[in-house]
Amino acid sequence: MELALSEFVALLSKAARGAGLPDGLARQNAALVTPLLATGLPAAEIAAHVLTSFASGASVKVDYRIDRETLLLVTDKPISTLASGIGAAYWLAGGEGRRIEGSAPDDARWLLAAVAYCTRAGGKRYTMRQTDGQVIGATCDGAVIMTNPVTDIRPDKFVIEPQEVAAHQTSKIPADSTVKLSTEMVTSLTTLANFTLVADSERSRLKGAGPGN
Amino acid sequence: MDSASPALNRRTPDEVMTLTTLGAMFPTRLSFMRLLLRRMAHEKWQMDAPLLSLDAQGYGTAVYTIRTPERAYSLVAFSQAIPDERRTDRVIAEVWDTTYVLYDGIPDQAEMDRLANCVPLQEAGRFTPREIVLSRANKSIRMFEHVADKLANGEQPALADLRRVGYLMRTTAVYGNGKFGVADRSRIADRAEFQAPFQAEMLTVWLIRLFTLDLVEHVARHRGGASAVLLAGHIRRFIGIGNATGLGMAPFLINHPELIGRWIEARETAVARVRAIANPTQTEIGTFLSCAERALSHLCEWQVEDDGYAARIRATTGEIESLVTWIRSFTDPTYLWDQITCHTLAKFSPDGAEMTLSLILEPYGDLIDDLGTSMSLADGTPIRADQPLSDLRSRLVAAYGWALGPDMSQEQRRHFWYVSAAKQEPRLGEIGEDEGDDKAFAFDYAFQARSLLAAIDSLPSDADVGSLLLHHPELLDIVERLEIQQAQPYAEIRENLVGPDLVPLALLRCKLAFFGAAKFDPLSDKWLRVTLFQGAPSCIADLQQAPDDWIFSHSGSEH
């Protein structure tokens, strides 16, 4: 199925609300998709997976602790990856020397996208590298550039830190782009989005809307 | 402008961003319909002869192709018979008398076949980026039949009837920006003709109006044969296009603070520029008086059933009359517009004051029309995560002081906004009375501001915004709105949008006034009807002759 980009972003925002995120986070969550799409990453799949997991209370819950200038993401407390990811991205953007270290195996790209999106104003650039030193992605002007988009990120620790080298050129979404989604994915996101709807009733129909003719 | 003038400062957000003021707004020179028609006239847009493929009852298809200097756009219309009992203006409708798309280019037969299969379905259809706007309209049956019968009998419709209902059809939705697969805004935003807000939508509605006029003449011709006549020019121009608007428009206004901030800023800047004029000319004063007198006739023809609104219209009429009388007798025109503004803001009703502000802009196209280019959304406002919380706190208190006082108790949280499962119709509920407050939109910004203040005060004084959002990501929305207000001070409605005194109609009227709508006619506290393009040019040739002289039109307007 092919959706207009803004249609997809709207669906994602509703799905995020349906999954339980507050409005602001839901909108930011949806906005993060554009930089992911710009790199050719499977943004819809990532978003659908994270949201579905979050809604089901699955393994994507993390919390954090701060050790001097390092934000350590840990997995023993129930705060959503999305919430803590976006929050962590803003924390990272809050001052020089800050870095994020943690284990969020399924959502590393998401976190990097959050960093890219949240820090675009300051013109800061960040790299994501695994603990063995391998750089797996970088941010640039609101976009996220993965070294190898088709490679799964290993489910172990990674670090997001300020980047010293020249950044990649930003990939822009073509103005006439659409988003191709599988029927299953549309169904999955629509199911989540439908959690935001209130069942119809006679009182609602008459009093809630006007009533109109 | 003279820096010593008394009116360089715009009204403050506290003065403007209230439901009282927003709910009293009128169209201005900067309304989106005016922007569109000025461009169409200036660039000498052309239109092909309409392709009407309609039966004797007016059912079938029509194509209206309009040509800008660089592109062609086509309104593709489908007209069908529907049972009276299924005709409703609400979102929950499933059939309509007429349905439309604005097509990017000129559709060939294969495209017409495709559109015929999806456009009449509206929300249930799927569309492509070749379609820019999707819309539908229902007949005002009594008025349509009256006009068709009169024309069929060789007579013109009675102006008295047209004054009461100034249109043949009402649009009930106008969708763009990716809805149901139509083109994203980003696809057309770099086209000069669509850079100002809602220009594609306004073009669609203007073309729909033309179709309704041609349709009634077509039906009359088949009904009356040789004795049928066409609409007289002045009547054709007086007939606008109706619109029924419900709560769905209100969340847009709340969810797009940056955009709304730009609209209001442009309008307030325009008013400030005119107030700063030290010595208006007699010609400018004459233009104002001409428009004011036209507005008085317009007010007399603005008929509503709602008693409260009728009283407001009567009060406005008296105020504008007194203003005209005063101006005819004044002796010192120095800073006339500022004098008028100060007087009306102090003494007039909100409607009278806002109408006056609209009127003083009319003589000054050269001075203010450039502001139309500043009303579109630019890149979003990013949150500066490294700013000290003390700065954020100061700005919070300044922007949301109205929400931080002791009187904003939980008892002031009375309503909630939600979307019904029935065709996703936006609705308003009462806490404790209606189901669904757990699925409400978070429009409780007054309370979010209070939560933000508490969160800031709970963190160390040297913390920054990034740390705040790490600990309280749920406050992202209100922080973002606060950031937006640094650049766009008019971005936030400074009232409790879930309070017991909420008046949703005020939100609808504000947005409709920016569109250029007139004759607001409330049919409950949650929806209203308006008339669009009444008095505006009703064909391309008409557009070239008098492109921008139709604000506050009335049935006796001469064009």
Side-chain angles (χ1 to χ4, degrees), chain B residues 140 142-143 160-168 170 531 534:
Chain B
S140 169
R142 198 186 67 78
M143 187 54 62
D161 291 320
L162 288 170
R163 288 186 198 110
R164 204 174 62 76
V165 180
Y167 49 80
L168 304 173
R170 286 185 297 274
T531 308
Q534 189 171 45

Side-chain angles (χ1 to χ4, degrees), chain B residues 52-239:
Chain B
L52 302 180
S53 180
L54 303 168
D55 66 16
Q57 282 77 44
Y59 303 132
T61 62
V63 180
Y64 287 70
T65 297
I66 195 151
R67 297 179 186 274
T68 75
E70 295 186 356
R71 294 183 182 82
Y73 300 101
S74 299
L75 179 83
V76 182
F78 298 91
S79 168
Q80 63 179 348
I82 67 170
D84 284 347
E85 65 272 17
R86 298 189 68 190
R87 183 179 294 107
T88 171
D89 289 350
R90 288 179 64 172
V91 171
I92 54 177
E94 293 180 331
V95 292
W96 303 266
D97 288 313
T98 57
T99 52
Y100 310 88
V101 287
L102 184 68
Y103 185 85
D104 193 359
I106 303 172
D108 58 19
Q109 190 54 52
E111 284 289 81
M112 285 295 292
D113 292 344
R114 178 178 65 82
L115 295 173
N117 285 324
C118 59
V119 175
L121 300 177
Q122 295 284 290
E123 293 97 332
R126 281 300 301 173
F127 301 88
T128 76
R130 295 305 301 265
E131 290 83 71
I132 298 174
V133 176
L134 175 68
S135 185
R136 69 288 191 103
N138 282 333
K139 289 172 182 166
S140 169
I141 292 291
R142 198 186 67 78
M143 187 54 62
F144 191 93
E145 290 301 316
H146 168 75
V147 173
D149 284 342
K150 284 286 187 183
L151 295 179
N153 291 330
E155 303 169 27
Q156 292 297 318
L159 280 172
D161 291 320
L162 288 170
R163 288 186 198 110
R164 204 174 62 76
V165 180
Y167 49 80
L168 304 173
M169 288 196 198
R170 286 185 297 274
T171 57
T172 64
V174 184
Y175 294 121
N177 192 21
K179 280 272 193 178
F180 316 112
V182 305
D184 278 312
R185 163 79 181 157
S186 59
R187 183 183 170 92
I188 59 169
D190 61 349
R191 302 181 186 184
E193 61 270 26
F194 291 150
Q195 283 180 0
F198 288 99
Q199 295 298 278
E201 289 83 354
M202 295 299 107
L203 175 61
T204 303
V205 174
W206 187 74
L207 289 169
I208 291 173
R209 172 177 174 240
L210 266 55
F211 171 68
T212 68
L213 296 167
D214 291 348
L215 182 66
V216 78
E217 289 178 340
H218 170 91
V219 170
R221 192 159 50 245
H222 282 272
R223 249 178 229 181
S227 62
V229 295
L230 300 177
L231 284 162
H234 70 287
I235 292 180
R236 184 178 169 93
R237 190 168 185 181
F238 183 65
I239 298 175

Side-chain angles (χ1 to χ4, degrees), chain A residues 2 5-7 17 23 27-28 90 94 98 121 176 195 197-198 200 203-205 207-208 210-213, chain B residues 88-90 126 177 180 184 187 382 385 418-419 421 427-428 430 434 439-440 442 464 476-477 524 527 529:
Chain A
E2 200 164 348
L5 177 60
S6 56
E7 186 181 25
R17 284 187 62 228
D23 285 15
R27 196 169 53 251
Q28 292 270 11
Y90 278 108
R98 291 183 181 182
D176 58 352
F195 287 138
L197 304 178
V198 177
D200 200 28
R203 176 183 160 85
S204 164
R205 197 160 41 249
K207 197 165 186 303
N213 65 354
Chain B
T88 171
D89 289 350
R90 288 179 64 172
R126 281 300 301 173
N177 192 21
F180 316 112
D184 278 312
R187 183 183 170 92
Y418 67 96
V419 177
R427 293 178 184 173
L428 193 62
E430 279 185 67
D434 294 289
K439 298 177 178 179
D464 57 26
L476 195 55
D477 202 14
S524 83
W527 77 293
R529 287 176 177 164

Side-chain angles (χ1 to χ4, degrees), chain B residues 342-363:
Chain B
C342 291
H343 176 75
T344 57
L345 290 176
K347 303 291 186 186
F348 281 13
S349 66
D351 298 88
E354 295 304 315
M355 178 173 255
T356 303
L357 296 185
S358 290
L359 288 168
I360 67 171
L361 303 185
E362 280 303 310

